[in-house]
Amino acid sequence: MTAQPIGGGKATLALLPNGILHLAWDRDCTITAEDAESAMAAVNGLAGGEGHPMLVDMETTRTVTRGARAVFAIPCAASRIALLGSSPVDRMIANFFLGVNSPPCPTRFFTSRHLAVAWLQGEAHEHPASA
């Protein structure tokens, strides 16, 4: 499926053939509460009432506001979430979220897309959060 832009214009969302929701945030963006609300509404709409694993590509995201972190802590159609990043800043943002907020479902940070997808598909239940 082709990625669809999300309201606010800072991300795209697609439901991949393997059943994984792919949320990709734009380079160097600041994610606000409004952006997070738009993204979660899009996730819930695309999922059609079914739970799906979700890959969140947050590479090069500048920051996530406190309001956005609060929105991301609300349960949505994601059954498990892999946060994908590549830089120390990405890791810091993810670790801060995971340490301060209670994710609504199993959530881990990865620097490898392959390991993230394997974990989402249940092939690697015990990979460390910083795999």
Side-chain angles (χ1 to χ4, degrees):
M1 172 180 207
T2 304
Q4 301 297 314
I6 293 177
K10 294 182 183 177
T12 58
L13 178 67
L15 180 57
L16 304 177
N18 60 4
I20 293 175
L21 291 163
H22 181 222
L23 175 62
W25 291 99
D26 291 348
R27 175 177 282 282
D28 202 34
C29 74
T30 294
I31 303 170
T32 65
E34 294 79 18
D35 300 324
E37 289 167 354
S38 293
M40 293 303 91
V43 164
N44 290 334
L46 187 57
E50 296 180 23
H52 289 273
M54 181 166 63
L55 178 65
V56 179
D57 190 335
M58 55 175 278
E59 292 182 279
T60 70
T61 296
R62 182 185 307 154
T63 189
V64 180
T65 67
R66 180 185 303 203
R69 290 191 305 269
V71 171
F72 290 140
I74 298 169
C76 68
S79 57
R80 57 180 26 204
I81 299 170
L83 302 171
L84 179 64
S86 60
S87 73
V89 173
D90 298 335
R91 183 180 303 278
M92 181 186 72
I93 290 170
N95 286 340
F96 185 76
F97 171 74
L98 295 172
V100 172
N101 299 83
S102 294
C105 61
T107 303
R108 295 194 180 170
F109 177 80
F110 294 87
T111 56
S112 162
R113 182 175 303 271
H114 175 75
L115 290 176
V117 169
W119 181 75
L120 288 171
Q121 293 178 319
E123 298 169 17
H125 293 290
E126 298 306 320
H127 279 292
S130 59

